[in-house]
Amino acid sequence: AGGSSGEFNFIDPSFKMPSLWRVNLAYDQQLPWWDLIGTAEIMIGQTVDDVAFRNINIEPTGETLGFDGRPLFRTVDRDFSGAYQLGNTDKGDATNFAIKLERPYRRGVWGYVSYAYGDSNVINDGTSSRAVSNWQFNEALNPNDPPLSRSDFSVEHRINASLSYRFNAESRWPTTVSGFYNLQSGRPYSYIYDRQPFLSINTENFYSNDLMYVPANEGDVEFSRGTWEQWNAFVEGEECLRNARGGIIERNACDGPWFQSFDIRIAQDLPIKRTHLQLTFDLFNFFNLLDRDSGAVRYANFNTLAEVNYEGTNDEGRPIYALSGVITDPEDNEKFEISNTRSRWRAQIGVRWTF
């Protein structure tokens, strides 16, 4: 018998373009100290219609996996690799809150300090141009009915500070020096299984959306590569894994490393008759210029880490895990990817002519 001949893609006849309700409330107050202005703002969004994807070429078998209880699936028609439907969901929300202290321009000095909190939850982030990718890379126990979970792009905490000073502010040749600081929490990510011998732990043929079961005790799992001590140390080292012991970890339950950056800008104004010329010099990620190990942006590639290969179950029905080098030899194996461009110091010069 031959393999699958292709896939179908179709749209639900009742499909609606994405829409949401958003409410924004902000308050500014002139403060009695140093000409400061205080700002507080909250923005709340609620999904009306968002995209959702289903593969109607799979269906639940009615059975579950013995050791963790996840549902199992079977293929409806093996002549086709998939039948993907674009539809809608009304689930999804976002909450953002920010506070800021700002000093407007006074005697050559201006700047601000701010803090922002964000929480965004979705059914599917819809990041791909292909239906199959949006479906297969959306981590869920039931990929045709995923629950609400944190968005891949949710940034929980962010602190910013900016300060500028203009030298010779009263002259025709002022020089402005500015600094901008950013500190923020990392993007969320999920733990999934690496490629398995039979493609998928829940038998729907895609390993890329299979959330990982976190054994609680030594007797709950067998290791074909690695040891319980190595596994236990890895779990204890991360809060999201500790909280998931004895169950299946939720999508995007984990947080990537915090990162920071500091940028410097120097602008020199030069009057030329009735026109105005400005020369600028920008230095990005100044910390990395001072220390090559500072200013690095670390993240989980595609918002997932796959450090366990599931190799079936033993005679007692316990899962068999093969651990990656990140777990068995963490000193020589980097857990996160490093963004090469954003982690390097960079400089640029610019010219702006106003006439």
Side-chain angles (χ1 to χ4, degrees):
S4 301
S5 60
E7 67 181 42
F8 285 107
N9 293 273
F10 56 97
I11 300 176
D12 189 320
S14 61
F15 176 77
K16 298 179 181 178
M17 294 298 291
S19 61
L20 58 83
W21 285 103
R22 181 170 290 162
V23 177
N24 184 75
L25 179 65
Y27 180 73
D28 292 333
Q29 176 64 53
Q30 181 77 51
L31 301 177
W33 315 286
W34 308 302
D35 300 318
L36 295 178
I37 297 175
T39 300
E41 183 174 7
I42 186 170
M43 183 168 60
I44 299 174
Q46 181 63 49
T47 294
V48 176
D49 291 295
D50 203 354
V51 295
F53 299 88
R54 297 175 62 239
N55 179 8
I56 64 172
N57 199 37
I58 66 167
E59 62 183 6
T61 64
E63 300 176 343
T64 59
L65 195 61
F67 63 85
D68 67 7
R70 76 181 70 212
L72 301 178
F73 297 85
R74 58 172 165 253
T75 301
V76 175
D77 189 340
R78 294 193 176 277
D79 288 335
F80 301 97
S81 60
Y84 302 101
Q85 179 191 55
L86 170 62
N88 286 121
T89 178
D90 61 359
K91 298 178 182 179
D93 59 75
T95 301
N96 292 275
F97 173 74
I99 54 175
K100 181 172 73 169
L101 280 177
E102 181 178 6
R103 175 191 164 96
Y105 181 83
R106 296 288 189 279
R107 294 182 291 276
V109 180
W110 71 100
Y112 71 86
V113 177
S114 66
Y115 166 76
Y117 167 83
D119 178 51
S120 178
N121 301 284
V122 298
I123 294 296
N124 191 305
D125 278 300
T127 57
S128 177
S129 60
R130 302 180 65 217
V132 59
S133 297
N134 285 315
W135 181 82
Q136 75 171 21
F137 293 111
N138 194 42
E139 306 83 20
L141 300 185
N142 182 348
N144 279 342
D145 187 22
L148 200 64
S149 61
R150 294 171 70 195
S151 168
D152 288 343
F153 304 99
S154 184
V155 176
E156 190 171 9
H157 304 288
R158 184 171 185 177
I159 298 171
N160 290 151
S162 177
L163 182 64
S164 298
Y165 182 74
R166 180 168 292 170
F167 296 88
N168 303 319
E170 304 302 324
S171 75
R172 299 180 61 200
W173 299 273
T175 303
T176 304
V177 179
S178 303
F180 175 77
Y181 177 74
N182 177 67
L183 172 67
Q184 69 181 70
S185 54
R187 285 169 56 181
Y189 65 92
S190 308
Y191 275 99
I192 62 173
Y193 289 108
D194 202 354
R195 184 183 295 273
Q196 302 125 35
F198 25 81
L199 291 182
S200 176
I201 190 172
N202 62 356
T203 63
E204 42 83 286
N205 296 325
F206 290 95
Y207 72 94
S208 52
N209 55 18
D210 292 336
L211 292 165
M212 186 179 69
Y213 166 70
V214 184
N217 304 299
E218 186 173 2
D220 297 336
V221 62
E222 178 181 313
F223 296 99
S224 65
R225 184 171 61 244
T227 66
W228 167 258
E229 289 74 21
Q230 292 169 335
W231 167 256
N232 193 56
F234 182 73
V235 171
E236 284 298 304
E238 192 157 3
E239 182 181 5
C240 60
L241 292 175
R242 294 196 303 270
N243 293 339
R245 278 186 181 272
I248 301 171
I249 195 165
E250 296 181 353
R251 178 181 184 266
N252 283 344
C254 306
D255 293 297
W258 285 61
F259 61 90
Q260 63 178 344
S261 63
F262 181 61
D263 304 331
I264 297 173
R265 179 181 177 89
I266 301 174
Q268 178 63 57
D269 292 349
L270 299 172
I272 302 178
K273 295 184 178 181
R274 296 183 179 181
T275 66
H276 182 84
L277 187 69
Q278 185 179 71
L279 306 179
T280 59
F281 173 77
D282 293 280
L283 181 60
F284 304 103
N285 203 359
F286 177 66
F287 293 149
N288 185 252
L289 178 63
L290 301 179
D291 179 2
R292 62 181 301 174
D293 295 324
S294 297
V297 179
R298 293 178 170 85
Y299 66 99
N301 198 25
F302 294 108
N303 296 84
T304 57
L305 290 181
E307 308 304 342
V308 172
N309 197 325
Y310 172 72
E311 298 184 341
T313 57
N314 62 15
D315 294 339
E316 289 80 33
R318 294 178 297 168
I320 302 173
Y321 280 5
L323 306 182
S324 76
V326 168
I327 302 176
T328 61
D329 187 15
E331 292 187 1
D332 292 330
N333 292 275
E334 178 67 41
K335 181 178 178 179
F336 297 103
E337 300 284 335
I338 296 180
S339 175
N340 287 330
T341 301
R342 297 174 64 194
S343 300
R344 300 172 184 267
W345 70 268
R346 307 174 307 280
Q348 72 176 21
I349 57 175
V351 178
R352 185 171 66 176
W353 189 14
T354 305
F355 52 91

